[in-house]
């Protein structure tokens, strides 16, 4: 292991918790209870759903059950990218028509502003900076994909998106060898843990009951079963994302895909002067095995990508601990993007899981015959999507209970979408590892061949994965 990464803190949930401190955990459930709505999962989806339901109907008795503490999963480990991407939009265009998919995209564009609005209204200090999202290309093949992606986004109504050449890209962020970029204003950088802590506090202030250290082992109609008792409610909402496979009967519902991150030590003013990044955009690229990064409020670079993509049997990690080879690979991306940072120290490394449905489509569902609902499958785009999903769950519950009628959100094409389960093991493990090995090989070929065409290997991996 290189000296730049050898001293990094590894795991401990995430850098965000090392920065802001682990929370004092709330009391677990202490016996059978009843409620009007029980929400399983204390991440963004569960907390936003509790927030909007309680704001709309203060009389509701809402209980949130969380197996460890609020934000232990992806909500406390992500890259802090609040942006307007939603998994599955193109498939929904094929299934329901382009107009329906455009409505979904416009709802996502508005969601970025909605999250910013609530943080301000609730006094949540989450280091929010609305700088948009910059995605760069540094090979001919990436540039061709970037231009196609830019035009594709314009066709879904995002008319405020901008396309830059090499010089304009460097004026924003000086990424080595960048030949172009695309920028959308519908994005912001934030501190994930400060957001989840503030949201949990806001939810409790509204009168929602949160029980932590309370793993739910089984969900069935009107019942959320835990080792400490059962909560009975007309509506049971599953908001467990990458941890869904741990529930009885859900092993193959959503695949827990692993993503890993590093955070550097704080950079000096001189180092930042060489990089630029004054607009504090979130940063991504057009590689097949893509990266994502932000400039943190305290002057670090937090950068992520796929390490070991999946653990056999849908297992999840041990408090974010990350393989040394993954840390080295992420560091290599850092210095490839910013060669002037060669030798800068990595302060922290961590990992977490995100939920991937078999067709890579995020969904929101309420089964009116059972009262069971769920939202998720965000495929890594959950920071904003959780908010739209929560407002949609709110409207579905209120419609089903007779409190309100249909809304624009309940008519979005991702509502009540169903998908087949993932293959059993070992096919699941072999498929995911083979897919990401193929993507990495495709990226290496594009770097060396300088061809403007995307690697056929990546196209094959997309088809096998069911992404297109």
């Amino acid at each position: 292991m290189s000296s730049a990464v050898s001293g990094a803190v590894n795991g401990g949930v995430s850098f965000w918790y090392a920065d802001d401190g682990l929370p004092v955990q709330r009391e677990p459930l202490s016996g059978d209870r009843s409620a009007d709505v029980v929400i399983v999962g204390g991440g963004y989806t569960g907390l936003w759903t509790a927030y909007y339901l309680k704001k709309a109907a203060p009389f509701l008795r809402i209980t949130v059950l969380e197996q460890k503490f609020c934000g232990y999963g992806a909500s406390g480990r992500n890259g802090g990218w609040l942006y307007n991407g939603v998994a599955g939009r193109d498939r929904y265009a094929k299934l329901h028509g382009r107009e329906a998919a455009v409505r979904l995209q416009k709802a996502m564009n508005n969601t970025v502003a909605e999250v910013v609005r609530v943080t301000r209204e609730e006094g949540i200090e989450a280091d929010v900076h609305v700088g948009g999202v910059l995605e760069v290309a540094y090979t001919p093949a990436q540039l061709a994909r970037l231009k196609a992606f830019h035009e594709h986004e314009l066709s879904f109504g995002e008319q405020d998106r901008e396309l830059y050449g090499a010089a304009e890209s460097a004026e924003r962020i000086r990424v080595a060898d960048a030949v172009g970029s695309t920028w959308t204003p519908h994005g912001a950088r934030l501190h994930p843990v400060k957001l989840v802590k503030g949201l949990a506090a806001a939810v409790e202030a509204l009168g929602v009951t949160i029980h932590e250290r309370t793993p739910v082992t089984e969900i069935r109609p009107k019942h959320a079963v835990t080792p400490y008792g059962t909560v009975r409610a007309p509506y049971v909402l599953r908001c467990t994302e990458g941890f869904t496979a741990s529930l009885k009967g859900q092993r193959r519902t959503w695949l827990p895909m692993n993503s890993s991150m590093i955070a550097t030590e704080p950079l000096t003013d001189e180092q930042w002067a060489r990089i630029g990044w004054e607009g504090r955009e979130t940063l991504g690229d057009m590689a097949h095995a893509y990266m994502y990064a932000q400039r943190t409020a305290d002057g670090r670079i937090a950068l992520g990508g796929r390490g070991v993509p999946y653990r056999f049997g849908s297992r999840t990690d041990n408090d974010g601990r990350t393989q040394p080879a993954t840390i080295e690979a992420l560091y290599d991306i850092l210095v490839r993007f910013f060669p002037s940072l060669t030798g800068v120290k990595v302060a922290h490394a961590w990992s977490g899981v995100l939920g991937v449905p078999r067709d890579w489509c995020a969904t929101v569902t309420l089964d009116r015959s059972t009262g069971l609902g769920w939202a998720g499958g965000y495929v890594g785009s959950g920071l904003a999507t959780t908010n739209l999903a929560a407002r949609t769950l709110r409207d579905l519950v209120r419609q089903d209970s007779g409190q309100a009628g249909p809304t624009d959100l309940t008519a979005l094409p991702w509502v009540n979408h169903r998908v087949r389960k993932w293959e059993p093991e070992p096919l699941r493990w072999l498929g995911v590892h083979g897919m990401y090995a193929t993507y990495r090989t495709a990226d290496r070929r594009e770097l060396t061949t300088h061809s403007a065409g995307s690697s056929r290997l990546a196209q094959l991996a997309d088809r096998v994965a069911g992404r297109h």
Side-chain angles (χ1 to χ4, degrees), residues 38-41 65 215-226 230-231 233-241 243-250 254 370-375:
V38 59
I39 296 169
V40 180
L65 301 176
V216 173
T217 56
E218 182 182 2
I219 293 173
R220 57 177 186 263
K222 299 179 173 55
H223 295 76
V225 181
T226 86
T230 297
V231 180
Y235 298 100
V236 182
L237 307 180
R238 189 187 80 223
C239 303
T240 48
E241 192 56 358
F243 291 86
T244 299
S246 64
L247 291 164
K248 183 177 180 180
Q250 303 294 333
W254 290 335
T370 63
L372 296 178
W374 57 89

mmCIF file of all heavy atoms in Angstrom, residues 38-41 65 215-226 230-231 233-241 243-250 254 370-375:
data_model
loop_
_atom_site.group_PDB
_atom_site.id
_atom_site.type_symbol
_atom_site.label_atom_id
_atom_site.label_comp_id
_atom_site.label_asym_id
_atom_site.label_seq_id
_atom_site.Cartn_x
_atom_site.Cartn_y
_atom_site.Cartn_z
ATOM 1 N N VAL A 38 -46.338 2.461 9.901
ATOM 2 C CA VAL A 38 -45.030 2.061 10.393
ATOM 3 C C VAL A 38 -44.072 2.065 9.205
ATOM 4 O O VAL A 38 -44.381 1.544 8.136
ATOM 5 C CB VAL A 38 -45.050 0.698 11.111
ATOM 6 C CG1 VAL A 38 -45.546 -0.427 10.221
ATOM 7 C CG2 VAL A 38 -43.653 0.365 11.652
ATOM 8 N N ILE A 39 -42.936 2.703 9.400
ATOM 9 C CA ILE A 39 -41.926 2.843 8.351
ATOM 10 C C ILE A 39 -40.702 2.044 8.764
ATOM 11 O O ILE A 39 -40.154 2.240 9.854
ATOM 12 C CB ILE A 39 -41.552 4.319 8.139
ATOM 13 C CG1 ILE A 39 -42.782 5.089 7.622
ATOM 14 C CG2 ILE A 39 -40.373 4.463 7.191
ATOM 15 C CD1 ILE A 39 -42.610 6.601 7.626
ATOM 16 N N VAL A 40 -40.278 1.132 7.901
ATOM 17 C CA VAL A 40 -39.127 0.287 8.176
ATOM 18 C C VAL A 40 -37.924 0.884 7.461
ATOM 19 O O VAL A 40 -37.858 0.907 6.232
ATOM 20 C CB VAL A 40 -39.376 -1.157 7.717
ATOM 21 C CG1 VAL A 40 -38.157 -2.024 8.024
ATOM 22 C CG2 VAL A 40 -40.628 -1.714 8.383
ATOM 23 N N GLY A 41 -36.970 1.373 8.237
ATOM 24 C CA GLY A 41 -35.775 1.992 7.673
ATOM 25 C C GLY A 41 -35.690 3.462 8.025
ATOM 26 O O GLY A 41 -36.582 4.244 7.706
ATOM 27 N N LEU A 65 -38.861 2.396 12.384
ATOM 28 C CA LEU A 65 -38.023 1.352 12.974
ATOM 29 C C LEU A 65 -36.717 1.266 12.195
ATOM 30 O O LEU A 65 -36.727 1.083 10.968
ATOM 31 C CB LEU A 65 -38.749 -0.005 12.921
ATOM 32 C CG LEU A 65 -40.100 -0.082 13.630
ATOM 33 C CD1 LEU A 65 -40.742 -1.456 13.400
ATOM 34 C CD2 LEU A 65 -39.959 0.208 15.120
ATOM 35 N N PRO A 215 -33.941 -4.080 14.645
ATOM 36 C CA PRO A 215 -34.005 -4.695 13.313
ATOM 37 C C PRO A 215 -35.371 -5.327 13.043
ATOM 38 O O PRO A 215 -35.918 -6.033 13.891
ATOM 39 C CB PRO A 215 -32.912 -5.762 13.365
ATOM 40 C CG PRO A 215 -32.774 -6.099 14.821
ATOM 41 C CD PRO A 215 -33.051 -4.821 15.560
ATOM 42 N N VAL A 216 -35.916 -5.058 11.895
ATOM 43 C CA VAL A 216 -37.154 -5.702 11.459
ATOM 44 C C VAL A 216 -36.772 -6.968 10.708
ATOM 45 O O VAL A 216 -35.989 -6.929 9.764
ATOM 46 C CB VAL A 216 -37.991 -4.762 10.573
ATOM 47 C CG1 VAL A 216 -39.182 -5.502 9.980
ATOM 48 C CG2 VAL A 216 -38.452 -3.556 11.379
ATOM 49 N N THR A 217 -37.290 -8.094 11.157
ATOM 50 C CA THR A 217 -36.943 -9.379 10.549
ATOM 51 C C THR A 217 -37.951 -9.827 9.510
ATOM 52 O O THR A 217 -37.625 -10.620 8.630
ATOM 53 C CB THR A 217 -36.835 -10.460 11.635
ATOM 54 O OG1 THR A 217 -38.062 -10.512 12.380
ATOM 55 C CG2 THR A 217 -35.684 -10.143 12.596
ATOM 56 N N GLU A 218 -39.175 -9.325 9.610
ATOM 57 C CA GLU A 218 -40.205 -9.727 8.650
ATOM 58 C C GLU A 218 -41.252 -8.619 8.531
ATOM 59 O O GLU A 218 -41.625 -7.985 9.514
ATOM 60 C CB GLU A 218 -40.881 -11.026 9.092
ATOM 61 C CG GLU A 218 -41.928 -11.525 8.122
ATOM 62 C CD GLU A 218 -42.624 -12.793 8.602
ATOM 63 O OE1 GLU A 218 -42.315 -13.267 9.721
ATOM 64 O OE2 GLU A 218 -43.489 -13.306 7.865
ATOM 65 N N ILE A 219 -41.672 -8.399 7.291
ATOM 66 C CA ILE A 219 -42.777 -7.491 7.012
ATOM 67 C C ILE A 219 -43.908 -8.305 6.399
ATOM 68 O O ILE A 219 -43.690 -9.063 5.448
ATOM 69 C CB ILE A 219 -42.341 -6.383 6.031
ATOM 70 C CG1 ILE A 219 -41.302 -5.457 6.678
ATOM 71 C CG2 ILE A 219 -43.540 -5.573 5.561
ATOM 72 C CD1 ILE A 219 -40.708 -4.445 5.708
ATOM 73 N N ARG A 220 -45.088 -8.163 6.968
ATOM 74 C CA ARG A 220 -46.276 -8.765 6.360
ATOM 75 C C ARG A 220 -47.431 -7.792 6.530
ATOM 76 O O ARG A 220 -47.309 -6.810 7.270
ATOM 77 C CB ARG A 220 -46.579 -10.130 6.972
ATOM 78 C CG ARG A 220 -46.791 -10.179 8.467
ATOM 79 C CD ARG A 220 -47.144 -11.605 8.894
ATOM 80 N NE ARG A 220 -47.504 -11.687 10.307
ATOM 81 C CZ ARG A 220 -46.673 -12.038 11.260
ATOM 82 N NH1 ARG A 220 -45.407 -12.332 10.975
ATOM 83 N NH2 ARG A 220 -47.087 -12.096 12.522
ATOM 84 N N PRO A 221 -48.543 -8.000 5.839
ATOM 85 C CA PRO A 221 -49.627 -7.019 5.920
ATOM 86 C C PRO A 221 -49.986 -6.663 7.363
ATOM 87 O O PRO A 221 -50.225 -7.533 8.200
ATOM 88 C CB PRO A 221 -50.789 -7.725 5.215
ATOM 89 C CG PRO A 221 -50.107 -8.591 4.196
ATOM 90 C CD PRO A 221 -48.861 -9.078 4.880
ATOM 91 N N LYS A 222 -49.911 -5.352 7.630
ATOM 92 C CA LYS A 222 -50.284 -4.770 8.925
ATOM 93 C C LYS A 222 -49.342 -5.135 10.074
ATOM 94 O O LYS A 222 -49.635 -4.850 11.235
ATOM 95 C CB LYS A 222 -51.734 -5.125 9.300
ATOM 96 C CG LYS A 222 -52.759 -4.601 8.312
ATOM 97 C CD LYS A 222 -54.176 -4.994 8.709
ATOM 98 C CE LYS A 222 -55.210 -4.326 7.821
ATOM 99 N NZ LYS A 222 -55.013 -4.571 6.374
ATOM 100 N N HIS A 223 -48.159 -5.709 9.760
ATOM 101 C CA HIS A 223 -47.224 -6.134 10.797
ATOM 102 C C HIS A 223 -45.782 -5.840 10.383
ATOM 103 O O HIS A 223 -45.368 -6.181 9.270
ATOM 104 C CB HIS A 223 -47.324 -7.639 11.078
ATOM 105 C CG HIS A 223 -48.639 -8.079 11.646
ATOM 106 N ND1 HIS A 223 -49.774 -8.200 10.868
ATOM 107 C CD2 HIS A 223 -48.993 -8.439 12.902
ATOM 108 C CE1 HIS A 223 -50.782 -8.628 11.634
ATOM 109 N NE2 HIS A 223 -50.337 -8.776 12.870
ATOM 110 N N ALA A 224 -45.023 -5.243 11.304
ATOM 111 C CA ALA A 224 -43.573 -5.162 11.185
ATOM 112 C C ALA A 224 -43.003 -5.888 12.399
ATOM 113 O O ALA A 224 -43.163 -5.435 13.545
ATOM 114 C CB ALA A 224 -43.103 -3.714 11.156
ATOM 115 N N VAL A 225 -42.349 -7.027 12.151
ATOM 116 C CA VAL A 225 -41.933 -7.928 13.218
ATOM 117 C C VAL A 225 -40.473 -7.665 13.589
ATOM 118 O O VAL A 225 -39.598 -7.611 12.707
ATOM 119 C CB VAL A 225 -42.104 -9.394 12.785
ATOM 120 C CG1 VAL A 225 -41.698 -10.341 13.910
ATOM 121 C CG2 VAL A 225 -43.545 -9.654 12.352
ATOM 122 N N THR A 226 -40.196 -7.489 14.882
ATOM 123 C CA THR A 226 -38.835 -7.292 15.383
ATOM 124 C C THR A 226 -38.589 -8.241 16.548
ATOM 125 O O THR A 226 -39.531 -8.806 17.111
ATOM 126 C CB THR A 226 -38.615 -5.842 15.862
ATOM 127 O OG1 THR A 226 -39.033 -5.722 17.224
ATOM 128 C CG2 THR A 226 -39.367 -4.833 15.019
ATOM 129 N N THR A 230 -43.818 -6.445 17.972
ATOM 130 C CA THR A 230 -44.390 -6.222 16.644
ATOM 131 C C THR A 230 -45.163 -4.920 16.632
ATOM 132 O O THR A 230 -45.935 -4.643 17.554
ATOM 133 C CB THR A 230 -45.314 -7.385 16.246
ATOM 134 O OG1 THR A 230 -44.546 -8.593 16.159
ATOM 135 C CG2 THR A 230 -46.002 -7.126 14.921
ATOM 136 N N VAL A 231 -44.941 -4.116 15.611
ATOM 137 C CA VAL A 231 -45.730 -2.901 15.432
ATOM 138 C C VAL A 231 -46.809 -3.203 14.392
ATOM 139 O O VAL A 231 -46.497 -3.619 13.270
ATOM 140 C CB VAL A 231 -44.871 -1.708 14.978
ATOM 141 C CG1 VAL A 231 -45.742 -0.463 14.817
ATOM 142 C CG2 VAL A 231 -43.761 -1.441 15.990
ATOM 143 N N ALA A 233 -49.964 -1.851 12.075
ATOM 144 C CA ALA A 233 -50.450 -0.618 11.464
ATOM 145 C C ALA A 233 -51.125 -0.951 10.141
ATOM 146 O O ALA A 233 -50.753 -1.925 9.473
ATOM 147 C CB ALA A 233 -49.291 0.355 11.222
ATOM 148 N N PRO A 234 -52.115 -0.158 9.732
ATOM 149 C CA PRO A 234 -52.757 -0.392 8.425
ATOM 150 C C PRO A 234 -51.778 -0.285 7.264
ATOM 151 O O PRO A 234 -51.949 -0.948 6.244
ATOM 152 C CB PRO A 234 -53.822 0.715 8.351
ATOM 153 C CG PRO A 234 -54.073 1.114 9.770
ATOM 154 C CD PRO A 234 -52.774 0.933 10.480
ATOM 155 N N TYR A 235 -50.755 0.562 7.439
ATOM 156 C CA TYR A 235 -49.761 0.745 6.377
ATOM 157 C C TYR A 235 -48.376 0.422 6.909
ATOM 158 O O TYR A 235 -47.955 0.956 7.944
ATOM 159 C CB TYR A 235 -49.788 2.188 5.858
ATOM 160 C CG TYR A 235 -51.113 2.563 5.232
ATOM 161 C CD1 TYR A 235 -52.049 3.302 5.955
ATOM 162 C CD2 TYR A 235 -51.432 2.166 3.938
ATOM 163 C CE1 TYR A 235 -53.264 3.635 5.395
ATOM 164 C CE2 TYR A 235 -52.655 2.497 3.369
ATOM 165 C CZ TYR A 235 -53.566 3.231 4.104
ATOM 166 O OH TYR A 235 -54.786 3.557 3.546
ATOM 167 N N VAL A 236 -47.676 -0.461 6.196
ATOM 168 C CA VAL A 236 -46.285 -0.799 6.519
ATOM 169 C C VAL A 236 -45.460 -0.461 5.285
ATOM 170 O O VAL A 236 -45.655 -1.045 4.218
ATOM 171 C CB VAL A 236 -46.122 -2.285 6.885
ATOM 172 C CG1 VAL A 236 -44.668 -2.575 7.271
ATOM 173 C CG2 VAL A 236 -47.073 -2.672 8.023
ATOM 174 N N LEU A 237 -44.545 0.485 5.435
ATOM 175 C CA LEU A 237 -43.770 0.991 4.305
ATOM 176 C C LEU A 237 -42.314 0.556 4.430
ATOM 177 O O LEU A 237 -41.648 0.880 5.414
ATOM 178 C CB LEU A 237 -43.857 2.524 4.248
ATOM 179 C CG LEU A 237 -45.279 3.111 4.255
ATOM 180 C CD1 LEU A 237 -45.221 4.631 4.188
ATOM 181 C CD2 LEU A 237 -46.106 2.547 3.096
ATOM 182 N N ARG A 238 -41.849 -0.171 3.430
ATOM 183 C CA ARG A 238 -40.477 -0.678 3.430
ATOM 184 C C ARG A 238 -39.560 0.337 2.751
ATOM 185 O O ARG A 238 -39.689 0.625 1.563
ATOM 186 C CB ARG A 238 -40.417 -2.010 2.676
ATOM 187 C CG ARG A 238 -39.087 -2.739 2.802
ATOM 188 C CD ARG A 238 -39.048 -3.956 1.903
ATOM 189 N NE ARG A 238 -38.758 -3.593 0.517
ATOM 190 C CZ ARG A 238 -39.362 -4.099 -0.543
ATOM 191 N NH1 ARG A 238 -40.352 -4.987 -0.387
ATOM 192 N NH2 ARG A 238 -39.023 -3.726 -1.764
ATOM 193 N N CYS A 239 -38.612 0.875 3.530
ATOM 194 C CA CYS A 239 -37.688 1.906 3.033
ATOM 195 C C CYS A 239 -36.269 1.490 3.384
ATOM 196 O O CYS A 239 -35.543 2.204 4.082
ATOM 197 C CB CYS A 239 -38.036 3.256 3.662
ATOM 198 S SG CYS A 239 -39.749 3.799 3.360
ATOM 199 N N THR A 240 -35.863 0.325 2.891
ATOM 200 C CA THR A 240 -34.631 -0.306 3.350
ATOM 201 C C THR A 240 -33.532 -0.373 2.287
ATOM 202 O O THR A 240 -32.424 -0.820 2.582
ATOM 203 C CB THR A 240 -34.933 -1.729 3.840
ATOM 204 O OG1 THR A 240 -35.744 -2.409 2.870
ATOM 205 C CG2 THR A 240 -35.671 -1.691 5.166
ATOM 206 N N GLU A 241 -33.801 0.033 1.043
ATOM 207 C CA GLU A 241 -32.814 0.163 -0.027
ATOM 208 C C GLU A 241 -31.816 -0.998 -0.033
ATOM 209 O O GLU A 241 -32.215 -2.147 -0.173
ATOM 210 C CB GLU A 241 -32.110 1.527 0.079
ATOM 211 C CG GLU A 241 -31.261 1.922 -1.116
ATOM 212 C CD GLU A 241 -31.978 1.944 -2.459
ATOM 213 O OE1 GLU A 241 -33.172 1.612 -2.543
ATOM 214 O OE2 GLU A 241 -31.330 2.276 -3.455
ATOM 215 N N PHE A 243 -30.317 -2.685 2.106
ATOM 216 C CA PHE A 243 -30.427 -3.685 3.163
ATOM 217 C C PHE A 243 -31.705 -4.520 3.052
ATOM 218 O O PHE A 243 -32.024 -5.299 3.940
ATOM 219 C CB PHE A 243 -30.363 -3.007 4.539
ATOM 220 C CG PHE A 243 -29.007 -2.433 4.848
ATOM 221 C CD1 PHE A 243 -28.660 -1.169 4.428
ATOM 222 C CD2 PHE A 243 -28.065 -3.182 5.528
ATOM 223 C CE1 PHE A 243 -27.413 -0.631 4.694
ATOM 224 C CE2 PHE A 243 -26.804 -2.669 5.805
ATOM 225 C CZ PHE A 243 -26.480 -1.387 5.376
ATOM 226 N N THR A 244 -32.424 -4.379 1.938
ATOM 227 C CA THR A 244 -33.686 -5.088 1.743
ATOM 228 C C THR A 244 -33.501 -6.605 1.779
ATOM 229 O O THR A 244 -34.369 -7.334 2.258
ATOM 230 C CB THR A 244 -34.325 -4.652 0.409
ATOM 231 O OG1 THR A 244 -34.590 -3.246 0.463
ATOM 232 C CG2 THR A 244 -35.620 -5.389 0.142
ATOM 233 N N ALA A 245 -32.354 -7.091 1.275
ATOM 234 C CA ALA A 245 -32.140 -8.538 1.187
ATOM 235 C C ALA A 245 -32.121 -9.232 2.549
ATOM 236 O O ALA A 245 -32.287 -10.450 2.619
ATOM 237 C CB ALA A 245 -30.828 -8.824 0.451
ATOM 238 N N SER A 246 -31.944 -8.475 3.629
ATOM 239 C CA SER A 246 -31.906 -9.092 4.958
ATOM 240 C C SER A 246 -33.295 -9.421 5.491
ATOM 241 O O SER A 246 -33.421 -10.139 6.484
ATOM 242 C CB SER A 246 -31.198 -8.161 5.950
ATOM 243 O OG SER A 246 -31.931 -6.945 6.118
ATOM 244 N N LEU A 247 -34.335 -8.917 4.834
ATOM 245 C CA LEU A 247 -35.704 -9.190 5.270
ATOM 246 C C LEU A 247 -36.179 -10.541 4.744
ATOM 247 O O LEU A 247 -35.812 -10.957 3.642
ATOM 248 C CB LEU A 247 -36.650 -8.094 4.768
ATOM 249 C CG LEU A 247 -36.470 -6.719 5.396
ATOM 250 C CD1 LEU A 247 -37.183 -5.662 4.557
ATOM 251 C CD2 LEU A 247 -37.005 -6.716 6.823
ATOM 252 N N LYS A 248 -37.011 -11.205 5.525
ATOM 253 C CA LYS A 248 -37.537 -12.505 5.133
ATOM 254 C C LYS A 248 -38.263 -12.405 3.791
ATOM 255 O O LYS A 248 -39.122 -11.549 3.601
ATOM 256 C CB LYS A 248 -38.497 -13.014 6.214
ATOM 257 C CG LYS A 248 -39.049 -14.404 5.929
ATOM 258 C CD LYS A 248 -39.943 -14.884 7.063
ATOM 259 C CE LYS A 248 -40.505 -16.270 6.774
ATOM 260 N NZ LYS A 248 -41.388 -16.751 7.877
ATOM 261 N N GLY A 249 -37.884 -13.256 2.850
ATOM 262 C CA GLY A 249 -38.538 -13.300 1.551
ATOM 263 C C GLY A 249 -38.063 -12.266 0.554
ATOM 264 O O GLY A 249 -38.577 -12.208 -0.566
ATOM 265 N N GLN A 250 -37.058 -11.451 0.926
ATOM 266 C CA GLN A 250 -36.626 -10.357 0.044
ATOM 267 C C GLN A 250 -35.196 -10.534 -0.465
ATOM 268 O O GLN A 250 -34.638 -9.603 -1.042
ATOM 269 C CB GLN A 250 -36.724 -9.020 0.796
ATOM 270 C CG GLN A 250 -38.090 -8.698 1.345
ATOM 271 C CD GLN A 250 -39.124 -8.471 0.252
ATOM 272 O OE1 GLN A 250 -38.789 -8.074 -0.852
ATOM 273 N NE2 GLN A 250 -40.379 -8.742 0.555
ATOM 274 N N TRP A 254 -33.865 -6.717 -4.363
ATOM 275 C CA TRP A 254 -32.909 -5.706 -4.832
ATOM 276 C C TRP A 254 -31.508 -6.166 -4.465
ATOM 277 O O TRP A 254 -31.255 -6.602 -3.342
ATOM 278 C CB TRP A 254 -33.172 -4.344 -4.176
ATOM 279 C CG TRP A 254 -34.420 -3.677 -4.639
ATOM 280 C CD1 TRP A 254 -35.066 -3.861 -5.828
ATOM 281 C CD2 TRP A 254 -35.184 -2.720 -3.913
ATOM 282 N NE1 TRP A 254 -36.189 -3.078 -5.883
ATOM 283 C CE2 TRP A 254 -36.288 -2.359 -4.719
ATOM 284 C CE3 TRP A 254 -35.043 -2.123 -2.666
ATOM 285 C CZ2 TRP A 254 -37.236 -1.433 -4.320
ATOM 286 C CZ3 TRP A 254 -35.989 -1.203 -2.253
ATOM 287 C CH2 TRP A 254 -37.072 -0.858 -3.075
ATOM 288 N N THR A 370 -53.121 -4.809 0.484
ATOM 289 C CA THR A 370 -52.430 -5.248 1.702
ATOM 290 C C THR A 370 -51.983 -4.106 2.603
ATOM 291 O O THR A 370 -51.670 -4.337 3.776
ATOM 292 C CB THR A 370 -51.180 -6.070 1.338
ATOM 293 O OG1 THR A 370 -50.267 -5.221 0.608
ATOM 294 C CG2 THR A 370 -51.537 -7.277 0.485
ATOM 295 N N GLY A 371 -51.887 -2.894 2.067
ATOM 296 C CA GLY A 371 -51.343 -1.785 2.832
ATOM 297 C C GLY A 371 -49.829 -1.774 2.889
ATOM 298 O O GLY A 371 -49.234 -0.960 3.605
ATOM 299 N N LEU A 372 -49.195 -2.672 2.131
ATOM 300 C CA LEU A 372 -47.737 -2.709 2.081
ATOM 301 C C LEU A 372 -47.238 -1.758 0.995
ATOM 302 O O LEU A 372 -47.742 -1.766 -0.135
ATOM 303 C CB LEU A 372 -47.239 -4.127 1.782
ATOM 304 C CG LEU A 372 -47.551 -5.202 2.822
ATOM 305 C CD1 LEU A 372 -47.026 -6.556 2.355
ATOM 306 C CD2 LEU A 372 -46.950 -4.844 4.181
ATOM 307 N N GLY A 373 -46.257 -0.958 1.342
ATOM 308 C CA GLY A 373 -45.679 -0.039 0.375
ATOM 309 C C GLY A 373 -44.169 -0.088 0.429
ATOM 310 O O GLY A 373 -43.579 -0.582 1.396
ATOM 311 N N TRP A 374 -43.536 0.409 -0.620
ATOM 312 C CA TRP A 374 -42.091 0.481 -0.621
ATOM 313 C C TRP A 374 -41.621 1.490 -1.655
ATOM 314 O O TRP A 374 -42.351 1.873 -2.572
ATOM 315 C CB TRP A 374 -41.453 -0.887 -0.897
ATOM 316 C CG TRP A 374 -41.857 -1.544 -2.178
ATOM 317 C CD1 TRP A 374 -41.272 -1.418 -3.400
ATOM 318 C CD2 TRP A 374 -42.948 -2.464 -2.355
ATOM 319 N NE1 TRP A 374 -41.915 -2.191 -4.327
ATOM 320 C CE2 TRP A 374 -42.955 -2.850 -3.721
ATOM 321 C CE3 TRP A 374 -43.917 -3.003 -1.500
ATOM 322 C CZ2 TRP A 374 -43.882 -3.735 -4.240
ATOM 323 C CZ3 TRP A 374 -44.843 -3.875 -2.033
ATOM 324 C CH2 TRP A 374 -44.828 -4.240 -3.374
ATOM 325 N N ALA A 375 -40.391 1.923 -1.459
ATOM 326 C CA ALA A 375 -39.750 2.822 -2.414
ATOM 327 C C ALA A 375 -38.268 2.540 -2.381
ATOM 328 O O ALA A 375 -37.700 2.214 -1.335
ATOM 329 C CB ALA A 375 -40.019 4.287 -2.073
#
